[in-house]
Amino acid sequence: MEEAHRSRYVDLVRLLVRHGRSDLLAGAGTDEFLTEDAEPVVDEEGPQRLAEDLERMGPTYVKLGQLLSTRVDLLPAPYTEALSRLQDDVEPFPVEQVREIIETELGAPLRSLFSEFDDTPLAAASLAQVHRAVTRNGHDVVVKVQRPGVRERVRDDMEVLADLAAKADRHTEVGRRYGMGTLLAHFRRALADELDYRREAANLVRFGELTKHYEHLVVPQPVGDLSTSKVLTMDRVIGRSVTDVGPLGLLDVDRRPLVEELFSAYLRMILVDGALHADPHPGNVLLTDDGRLALIDFGMVATVPRRVQDKIVKLLLALSDGDGEEAALVLAEMGHPLAGYDAARFRDDVSHLVSSAVALGGEVEVGSVLVELSRLSGDRGLRPPAEMSMVGKTLLNLDQVTRHLDPGFDPTQAIRDDIEEILRSGLSVSLSGALSSAIEAKDFAAQLPRRANRIMDALSEGELAIRVKTMDEVRFLGALQRLANRLTMGVIIASIVVGAALMMQVQTRSTILGYPAIAMVFFLLAALAGGALVASIVIGDRRAQQAARRDRQP
């Protein structure tokens, strides 16, 4: 094993032992990497120490922690809260490398691409850093440049994680229960997408289209000619994080339209368009100088399948009505039951949780309730789909933004106001889907009279026959009888051989080749019977195969 890989194994094993997850290592063949200095942390400081350890281990583990912060069904609340606050600020890499990467990727000198380029980065993270620039036509932009060597580092880290996840799935109960390999595959896809800035540029365009009808929302758009897989140039948005703006700064802002449009836009994107901005924490929502909300950082985007969209709509309706029984039923349909799942207890717990939330009246936060329902599902042995937890985490982050902007905003009332439009939009179909359905309906209508006449004619003449394809009982019983005969014959032959062997010890006057004659006779009978049995098996199986081939022929 290479020294670099071994070092990463040691770091990862130390992390697991340190935070009480040595059960993932038991029997997984990693004993040689166990370290004596990995002392477990106490519970009170565990979540924050885990976040700090992940930050020290590099970009792959920072992103893994951010993804795990959305899986509230897998980790306790203190851990998801600590991981959601992971900081990704690192020392910037030299501007000479920045310029070299830009010029190599875009194929031109920096001075011919930008009229201005600020060497001091606006932000520096473990995957990239951002610089302010002005294009040759005077457009104010920011340039996101991928950190050199980060793809190779991530690839090596993923190999170590994949190896450990495979061992955990094969050899540990925890691995099999949570499906570490599946979780890691999901993380690998998300991280690979985030490292390809062409995907982020496409995400910016897509979400710009989804929010273009909301006058108070803005998504910065990419500059296609100045963007590649490692360089992303996009509009510069001047503003501050919503939560950094104090009460005095919000006095001159008409906040209610901002909150209503933000909440409505996200509901529609998730429940109608199936697009989920997987990282809408308050730092990625900016209040611009002209009084709008800018949505930034679309590196992590997930797709919500139609089946999950429909279930979440039903769940939100149940929550707005305070119907705990219906909420439990929807969650049971969405989730995958594990060993120990108790449906009755789960239904009672969900009903109690929903009733408690409704009792708060206007203070109900939909995101918080969805997160608690996801966590309750995981605790009770009902694994919800990953998209369910991510939707809950997204709405929880939105709750923080809306509560800061407008404490009087009621998310449940907003859901009731928007649900009619959401349902109407969800029932619409695409043009291609409508055309396909129309063609199928035309074919059905054209062939129906002819098929109906054939059925009626056969029925009137007493020739209607219904053929049901099922198991051939006669052939099945025949096969069982042949199997029983072969077993019986084998037992008899074995008995003859054993008896003949015992009679070899009996002294008799009649001998064959110096052995008792009766024993030799029985050995001969056993040999003949064995040969006949083998011939019967070969011939019978050959005939059965030929018959099966004839049956398959039209």
Side-chain angles (χ1 to χ4, degrees):
M1 177 182 297
E2 297 180 3
E3 187 61 31
H5 272 215
R6 180 180 177 84
S7 175
R8 290 187 177 93
Y9 267 109
V10 172
D11 291 341
L12 183 55
V13 170
R14 183 186 291 117
L15 178 75
L16 293 173
V17 174
R18 179 179 177 82
H19 294 279
R21 297 313 314 193
S22 57
D23 50 344
L24 281 171
L25 305 173
T30 56
D31 295 341
E32 67 271 24
F33 299 111
L34 293 176
T35 54
E36 297 179 356
D37 61 334
E39 294 294 334
V41 296
V42 295
D43 291 341
E44 291 77 8
E45 62 181 9
Q48 185 57 39
R49 293 292 293 272
L50 174 60
E52 294 172 357
D53 288 342
L54 289 174
E55 288 175 1
R56 283 194 293 269
M57 291 179 68
T60 306
Y61 296 95
V62 169
K63 293 301 177 182
L64 178 60
Q66 291 174 351
L67 179 65
L68 287 176
S69 71
T70 68
R71 295 305 306 268
V72 295
D73 56 312
L74 301 180
L75 294 176
Y79 281 88
T80 56
E81 292 172 4
L83 294 178
S84 65
R85 295 192 297 269
L86 272 173
Q87 298 298 313
D88 200 17
D89 295 327
V90 298
E91 288 295 322
F93 59 95
V95 69
E96 292 78 15
Q97 288 183 298
V98 173
R99 291 173 173 269
E100 181 182 355
I101 293 173
I102 293 176
E103 291 177 350
T104 301
E105 287 292 312
L106 299 181
L110 192 68
R111 63 179 179 274
S112 66
L113 299 171
F114 303 101
S115 60
E116 297 180 26
F117 188 87
D118 191 351
D119 290 343
T120 303
L122 295 174
S126 55
L127 295 183
Q129 66 187 40
V130 179
H131 292 258
R132 188 188 71 84
V134 178
T135 63
R136 301 300 299 181
N137 61 3
H139 187 43
D140 203 10
V141 296
V142 293
V143 184
K144 183 176 179 180
V145 184
Q146 192 168 108
R147 188 173 286 270
V150 70
R151 293 191 182 188
E152 292 74 15
R153 173 67 184 272
V154 168
R155 183 177 62 246
D156 291 342
D157 287 339
M158 291 304 303
E159 289 179 3
V160 174
L161 287 169
D163 188 37
L164 185 60
K167 290 179 178 178
D169 285 349
R170 287 196 304 268
H171 303 293
T172 69
E173 179 59 31
V174 176
R176 286 186 289 269
R177 176 178 177 84
Y178 293 107
M180 296 300 173
T182 302
L183 289 175
L184 188 63
H186 173 72
F187 170 59
R188 187 186 187 100
R189 288 194 300 269
L191 190 52
D193 289 346
E194 190 168 0
L195 286 171
D196 187 351
Y197 293 163
R198 293 170 300 184
R199 290 183 178 273
E200 184 172 353
N203 292 334
L204 289 171
V205 173
R206 183 185 183 191
F207 279 83
E209 285 292 319
L210 294 177
T211 57
K212 67 180 181 180
H213 299 297
Y214 298 92
E215 60 176 316
H216 295 94
L217 302 181
V218 58
V219 176
Q221 293 301 289
V223 181
D225 295 338
L226 300 176
S227 299
T228 68
S229 62
K230 294 183 179 180
V231 175
L232 175 60
T233 304
M234 58 187 137
D235 301 337
R236 184 187 177 203
V237 177
I238 302 176
R240 289 188 294 167
S241 171
V242 165
T243 52
D244 291 340
V245 182
L248 293 178
L250 294 174
L251 289 178
D252 297 331
V253 179
D254 189 5
R255 292 171 285 175
R256 180 51 64 94
L258 298 181
V259 172
E260 290 179 347
E261 287 194 8
L262 180 66
F263 199 83
S264 175
Y266 266 91
L267 279 182
R268 183 179 180 87
M269 286 188 291
I270 294 171
L271 302 178
V272 177
D273 303 301
L276 176 63
H277 184 194
D279 194 23
H281 61 77
N284 287 339
V285 181
L286 306 181
L287 181 62
T288 65
D289 293 347
D290 60 355
R292 295 188 295 171
L293 292 178
L295 310 179
I296 63 173
D297 193 359
F298 285 86
M300 293 180 64
V301 171
T303 299
V304 183
R306 169 57 64 183
R307 56 179 176 79
V308 178
Q309 293 176 38
D310 295 339
K311 292 293 189 298
I312 292 178
V313 169
K314 293 175 64 176
L315 184 59
L316 291 177
L317 286 173
L319 293 179
S320 64
D321 294 337
D323 190 346
E325 293 283 338
E326 177 65 17
L329 179 62
V330 175
L331 287 170
E333 293 175 352
M334 294 175 67
H336 174 68
L338 304 174
Y341 169 61
D342 187 340
R345 183 184 178 190
F346 176 71
R347 184 171 58 251
D348 292 341
D349 290 343
V350 171
S351 298
H352 176 71
L353 176 60
V354 173
S355 300
S356 301
V358 172
L360 297 176
E363 298 181 3
V364 175
E365 295 180 350
V366 177
S368 300
V369 176
L370 286 179
V371 166
E372 289 303 317
L373 288 174
S374 297
R375 182 170 287 120
L376 179 62
S377 298
D379 292 342
R380 296 294 181 265
L382 184 69
R383 185 190 300 166
E387 296 85 2
M388 164 72 179
S389 301
M390 296 179 73
V391 168
K393 188 68 174 179
T394 298
L395 294 180
L396 178 62
N397 289 328
L398 282 178
D399 286 340
Q400 298 176 11
V401 175
T402 56
R403 184 171 61 248
H404 183 80
L405 287 174
D406 187 356
F409 178 71
D410 183 3
T412 56
Q413 184 59 48
I415 289 176
R416 295 189 190 100
D417 294 340
D418 291 338
I419 204 68
E420 181 179 351
E421 181 183 354
I422 290 174
L423 289 174
R424 184 169 58 250
S425 301
L427 291 175
S428 63
V429 295
S430 64
L431 177 59
S432 60
L435 290 175
S436 178
S437 299
I439 292 173
E440 291 181 1
K442 180 183 73 67
D443 292 341
F444 174 78
Q447 297 180 22
L448 180 60
R450 179 160 45 94
R451 291 176 175 174
N453 287 335
R454 289 180 180 177
I455 293 173
M456 297 304 295
D457 291 342
L459 183 62
S460 63
E461 296 174 3
E463 297 178 353
L464 181 64
I466 299 177
R467 286 183 291 181
V468 179
K469 221 174 187 183
T470 182
M471 181 179 63
D472 190 341
E473 294 88 350
V474 175
R475 182 172 295 178
F476 178 72
L477 292 176
L480 284 180
Q481 185 177 8
R482 288 194 298 274
L483 176 61
N485 291 342
R486 292 174 180 177
L487 288 174
T488 303
M489 190 67 174
V491 171
I492 293 174
I493 294 172
S495 301
I496 293 175
V497 172
V498 172
L502 293 175
M503 285 188 290
M504 280 290 188
Q505 307 301 322
V506 179
Q507 299 297 325
T508 61
R509 295 179 180 178
S510 301
T511 61
I512 300 176
L513 300 177
Y515 296 101
I518 188 170
M520 294 297 290
V521 170
F522 277 113
F523 272 126
L524 180 60
L525 288 175
L528 293 175
L533 180 59
V534 171
S536 174
I537 292 174
V538 172
I539 296 173
D541 289 349
R542 185 175 299 173
R543 289 177 178 174
Q545 292 174 359
Q546 292 174 351
R549 282 197 294 267
R550 286 196 300 268
D551 292 342
R552 287 195 296 266
Q553 292 177 354

